[in-house]
């Protein structure tokens, strides 16, 4: 049995990433399989917050973005700012929104594009800790802020050893989860050059969530210059607020393979709304309980607000909460013709193909239960061998149909009806008849009498089968579709004897049929006018007829198969039946 957990994305999907993304998924307790059935929808999304404050946390060192590529800072000038870099998205920093930044060659970026000189001097000289109103560069992200040298020499491979930056807008980092990445890759420090190793770090800005990450592959202090000062952290434009990891607020520290995340921690800037068939609800409970009576289009829409700018993370998905019931056929009641044994056997699986009604069998699982609750709940108390189900009394059973595609379960009851053992009919084993009489004229006591020409098996005879002198017929009793026909003793044998009337108006002596056996045609001559001629097979089915009147005529029977037949000649004064043979 397959259990299906329904997790359907109503909005932008994402692969699980190290950094929280602005996405939303909706988890359901199950699809709605019938009108009015309830389900619970829970929206899972990242709650954005304002940048009035931050939570600082250490995160595993696991760089997601390349340290090379994009636009390279001018390597002919050291201690320099980039030209103004236009961000393709608005980024909130200490409760202010920015779309432009400067990248500095000394391991930092600033939002103060009007405060510091694009393509101009980037200050390296600092010894203060932050926050500090006199700090040389404020409104900035430091990661790692130190005096590095991007000139050649000491840089020997400027294709790799450089300051570069780029925007990533693809895959999980497509809008509204784009990133701006600034790299300070394999750089020498001023004065020390490569003697203290190469310095590599990265600053990442995340769209919508306004998360900042600083990734440090290697930082080794140059003790011979500026006291080996290095700084990791963020600071506002006034120099009154700052967030710095422990031991990284200026100083001659060293680090390898560490990473820090600055997550906005102010008031929530996120609003969830539910949209049903394109109409927003007045309230936004989460989770949301719905009990639809018709198919509905459900969306969860999350709004992220940056200052005066709001981003709506939404993607409408047509989702039929009310699943259309497959075109099943109702199971048939099963009738068992009981034997004389106390336990009877029914084949419940005979209903499987009927229920599926041509549907693909591999899309469903059908099991049979004695209890309706077990059938609805798909318990393990199902009938293990439905093809040989044993019972000794009438039963109501339940077919449980589980859809692998939707997880819906449909329960359909049916009856297994035991017809008591049917005894043979009663009556005289020898019965007389007069010419022209049929099986319907025999006297047998029972219900639903069925006649046969054989004691076992064979095909039933119609009641209008003409009786033949000194012939034996076999009668079975039929109740509820069950016949007393299993053995010789379950059919009553009746032998018929013809009674010749003293003064027959129309007798066999009145008629001549020749030749007999017949090849293709035969001739009938009668002293009494014949009104109708009928020929019957040995089983009693009429295979030829012709209407008179006539006293003599020729019949063409070449279309008949070889065998024994009975010819019935009807006159106004009586009826004569004789046996004929067709060669």
């Amino acid at each position: 049995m397959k259990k299906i957990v329904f997790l359907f994305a109503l909005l932008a999907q994402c692969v699980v990433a190290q950094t929280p993304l602005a996405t939303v998924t909706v988890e359901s307790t199950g699809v709605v399989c019938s009108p009015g059935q309830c389900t619970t929808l829970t929206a899972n999304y990242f709650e954005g917050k304002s940048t009035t404050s931050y939570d600082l946390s250490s995160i595993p060192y696991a760089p997601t973005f390349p340290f090379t590529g994009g636009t390279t800072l001018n390597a002919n000038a050291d201690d320099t700012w980039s030209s103004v870099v236009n961000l393709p998205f608005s980024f909130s920093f200490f409760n202010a929104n920015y779309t432009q930044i400067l990248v500095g060659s000394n391991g930092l970026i600033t939002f103060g594009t009007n405060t510091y000189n694009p393509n101009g001097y980037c200050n390296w000289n600092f010894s203060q800790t932050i926050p500090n109103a006199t700090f040389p560069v404020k409104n900035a992200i430091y990661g790692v802020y130190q005096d590095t040298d991007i000139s050649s020499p000491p840089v020997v491979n400027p294709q790799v050893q450089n300051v570069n930056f780029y925007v990533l807008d693809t895959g999980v980092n497509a809008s509204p989860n784009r990133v701006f990445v600034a790299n300070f890759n394999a750089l020498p420090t001023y004065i020390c050059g490569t003697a203290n190793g190469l310095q590599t770090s990265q600053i990442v800005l995340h769209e919508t969530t306004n998360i900042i990450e600083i990734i440090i592959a290697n930082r080794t202090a140059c003790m011979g210059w500026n006291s080996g000062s290095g700084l990791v952290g963020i600071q506002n434009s006034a120099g009154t607020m700052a967030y710095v990891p422990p031991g990284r607020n200026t100083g001659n520290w060293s680090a390898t393979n560490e990473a820090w995340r600055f997550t906005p921690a102010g008031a929530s800037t996120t609003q969830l709304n539910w949209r049903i068939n394109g109409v927003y609800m007045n309230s936004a409970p989460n989770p949301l309980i719905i009990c639809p009576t018709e198919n509905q289009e459900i969306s969860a829409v999350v709004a992220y607000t940056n200052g005066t700018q709001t981003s709506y993370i939404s993607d409408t998905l047509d989702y039929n909460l009310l699943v259309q019931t497959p075109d099943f056929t109702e199971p048939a009641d099963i009738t068992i013709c009981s034997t004389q044994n106390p336990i009877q056997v029914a084949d419940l699986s005979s209903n499987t193909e009927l229920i599926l009604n041509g549907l693909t069998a591999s899309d469903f699982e059908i099991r049979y239960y004695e209890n309706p609750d077990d059938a609805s709940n798909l318990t393990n108390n199902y009938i293990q061998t439905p093809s040989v189900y044993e019972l000794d009394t009438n039963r109501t059973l339940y077919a449980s149909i589980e859809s692998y595609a939707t997880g819906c379960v449909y329960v359909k009851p049916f009856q297994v009806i035991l017809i008591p053992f049917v005894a043979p009919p009663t009556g005289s084993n020898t019965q007389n008849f007069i010419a022209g009489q049929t099986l319907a004229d025999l006297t047998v006591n029972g219900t639903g009498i069925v006649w046969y020409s054989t004691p076992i098996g064979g095909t039933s005879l119609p009641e209008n089968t003409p009786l033949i002198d000194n012939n034996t017929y076999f009668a079975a009793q039929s109740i509820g579709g069950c016949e007393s026909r299993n053995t010789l003793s379950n059919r009553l044998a009746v032998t018929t004897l013809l009674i010749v009337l003293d003064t027959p108006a129309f007798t066999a002596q009145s008629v001549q049929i020749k030749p007999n056996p017949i090849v293709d045609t035969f001739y009938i001559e009668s002293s009494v006018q014949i009104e109708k001629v009928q020929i019957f097979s040995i089983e009693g089915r009429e295979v030829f007829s012709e209407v008179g009147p006539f006293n003599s005529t020729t019949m063409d029977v070449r279309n008949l198969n070889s065998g024994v037949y009975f010819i019935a000649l009807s006159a106004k004064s009586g009826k004569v039946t004789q046996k004929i043979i067709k060669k």
Side-chain angles (χ1 to χ4, degrees):
M1 177 174 57
K2 295 183 178 179
K3 290 292 186 182
I4 301 176
V5 176
F6 296 90
L7 184 64
F8 52 93
L10 296 182
L11 309 175
Q13 298 289 310
C14 71
V15 178
V16 175
Q18 181 181 357
T19 308
L21 300 177
T23 60
V24 59
T25 57
V26 177
E27 183 177 328
S28 170
T29 55
V31 296
V32 176
C33 301
S34 58
Q37 180 183 341
C38 297
T39 189
T40 301
L41 306 181
T42 302
N44 302 308
Y45 59 92
F46 176 76
E47 183 180 11
K49 296 184 178 181
S50 72
T51 57
T52 55
S53 62
Y54 290 85
D55 286 332
L56 171 59
S57 59
S58 173
I59 61 176
Y61 177 83
T64 304
F65 311 110
F67 284 91
T68 58
T71 302
T72 302
L73 203 63
N74 181 7
N76 295 322
D78 189 28
D79 302 328
T80 185
W81 289 109
S82 67
S83 57
V84 173
V85 179
N86 293 311
L87 297 176
F89 52 85
S90 176
F91 191 81
S92 180
F93 186 69
F94 283 103
N95 213 33
N97 279 27
Y98 300 94
T99 58
Q100 294 180 326
I101 61 172
L102 297 177
V103 179
S105 66
N106 290 322
L108 75 168
I109 65 175
T110 181
F111 297 96
T113 55
N114 295 324
T115 305
Y116 307 100
N117 187 17
N119 298 309
Y121 174 67
C122 177
N123 200 324
W124 57 268
N125 187 11
F126 71 96
S127 60
Q128 310 95 315
T129 59
I130 58 173
N132 194 314
T134 65
F135 202 75
V137 182
K138 299 186 291 294
N139 203 13
I141 301 172
Y142 315 102
V144 177
Y145 184 25
Q146 60 184 334
D147 190 6
T148 52
D149 192 347
I150 65 172
S151 302
S152 299
V155 169
V156 297
N157 184 4
Q159 298 299 317
V160 175
Q161 294 178 270
N162 57 47
V163 176
N164 67 82
F165 52 88
Y166 55 85
V167 173
L168 187 62
D169 184 6
T170 186
V172 296
N173 293 115
S175 177
N177 290 289
R178 291 170 288 188
V179 293
F180 173 82
V181 181
N183 292 304
F184 311 92
N185 191 52
L187 300 178
T189 55
Y190 187 71
I191 296 298
C192 288
T194 60
N196 63 325
L198 299 177
Q199 316 295 303
T200 299
S201 62
Q202 183 181 78
I203 297 174
V204 182
L205 307 182
H206 291 268
E207 179 186 16
T208 306
T209 63
N210 299 308
I211 290 174
I212 302 165
E213 290 174 330
I214 297 176
I215 314 297
I216 304 170
N218 183 68
R219 192 269 166 168
T220 306
C222 176
M223 299 302 297
W225 183 252
N226 196 32
S227 302
S229 294
L231 172 64
V232 175
I234 62 175
Q235 183 174 213
N236 67 356
S237 60
T240 57
M241 292 184 64
Y243 293 86
V244 183
R248 303 295 180 257
N249 199 346
T250 307
N252 57 10
W253 52 270
S254 297
T256 301
N257 295 349
E258 72 176 33
W260 303 96
R261 178 178 296 158
F262 302 81
T263 304
S268 176
T269 61
T270 308
Q271 176 64 48
L272 168 69
N273 286 284
W274 293 100
R275 189 169 59 198
I276 300 179
N277 292 335
V279 178
Y280 284 95
M281 296 179 60
N282 293 328
S283 60
N286 193 30
L288 171 68
I289 299 175
I290 56 172
C291 307
T293 58
E294 60 184 4
N295 289 341
Q296 292 182 339
E297 177 188 273
I298 304 290
S299 298
V301 182
V302 177
Y304 291 88
T305 301
N306 277 347
T308 60
Q309 179 176 332
T310 300
S311 299
Y312 293 94
I313 312 301
S314 65
D315 177 26
T316 301
L317 173 72
D318 290 333
Y319 177 74
N320 288 334
L321 282 169
L322 186 65
V323 177
Q324 183 176 1
T325 303
D327 188 20
F328 297 127
T329 299
E330 294 299 316
D333 291 340
I334 298 175
T335 299
I336 303 297
C337 299
S338 298
T339 63
Q340 291 176 311
N341 296 324
I343 301 298
Q344 306 302 312
V345 176
D347 182 6
L348 309 184
S349 62
S350 63
N351 261 322
T352 299
E353 185 175 351
L354 176 65
I355 292 171
L356 289 177
N357 191 28
L359 297 172
T360 303
S362 59
D363 292 342
F364 304 91
E365 182 164 9
I366 298 181
R367 289 180 171 176
Y368 297 91
Y369 290 84
E370 295 179 336
N371 182 283
D373 292 335
D374 288 339
S376 298
N377 298 324
L378 299 177
T379 71
N380 288 326
N381 296 326
Y382 59 92
I383 298 169
Q384 299 290 333
T385 53
S387 60
V388 286
Y389 177 67
E390 295 184 346
L391 68 165
D392 59 1
T393 186
N394 294 345
R395 291 281 178 83
T396 298
L397 299 178
Y398 304 88
S400 175
I401 309 110
E402 180 186 11
S403 168
Y404 290 147
T406 65
C408 290
V409 177
Y410 308 90
V411 177
K412 297 184 176 296
F414 63 96
Q415 303 289 323
V416 179
I417 303 169
L418 299 184
I419 302 297
F421 177 75
V422 179
T426 60
S428 175
N429 295 110
T430 302
Q431 299 190 31
N432 298 322
F433 73 99
I434 61 175
Q437 288 188 311
T438 66
L439 287 172
D441 296 309
L442 297 179
T443 301
V444 175
N445 302 314
T447 300
I449 301 302
V450 182
W451 289 98
Y452 293 88
S453 61
T454 56
I456 301 174
T459 303
S460 62
L461 302 174
E463 284 191 336
N464 63 352
T465 300
L467 296 176
I468 301 172
D469 186 26
N470 199 27
N471 193 41
T472 301
Y473 302 92
F474 300 88
Q477 184 175 202
S478 176
I479 300 177
C482 296
E483 286 186 11
S484 55
R485 60 182 184 181
N486 297 322
T487 65
L488 178 61
S489 62
N490 291 134
R491 290 180 182 172
L492 172 68
V494 178
T495 301
T496 54
L497 299 175
L498 177 65
I499 298 177
V500 179
L501 299 177
D502 294 338
T503 56
F506 180 42
T507 66
Q509 289 72 25
S510 306
V511 181
Q512 293 187 37
I513 298 175
K514 53 186 178 182
N516 189 12
I518 303 165
V519 179
D520 292 326
T521 62
F522 65 94
Y523 178 73
I524 299 176
E525 184 175 356
S526 172
S527 60
V528 178
Q529 190 176 64
I530 297 173
E531 302 293 330
K532 185 177 181 181
V533 177
Q534 295 171 281
I535 298 177
F536 296 89
S537 68
I538 189 67
E539 291 85 11
R541 285 183 288 275
E542 183 181 281
V543 295
F544 178 91
S545 68
E546 187 169 317
V547 178
F550 53 81
N551 286 85
S552 62
T553 187
T554 299
M555 300 285 179
D556 188 339
V557 290
R558 69 185 67 205
N559 290 331
L560 296 183
N561 295 326
S562 298
V564 177
Y565 295 88
F566 297 98
I567 185 168
L569 306 172
S570 300
K572 291 182 179 180
S573 57
K575 187 175 183 180
V576 171
T577 300
Q578 294 189 17
K579 181 164 66 175
I580 59 175
I581 299 173
K582 170 69 166 59
K583 287 188 176 180

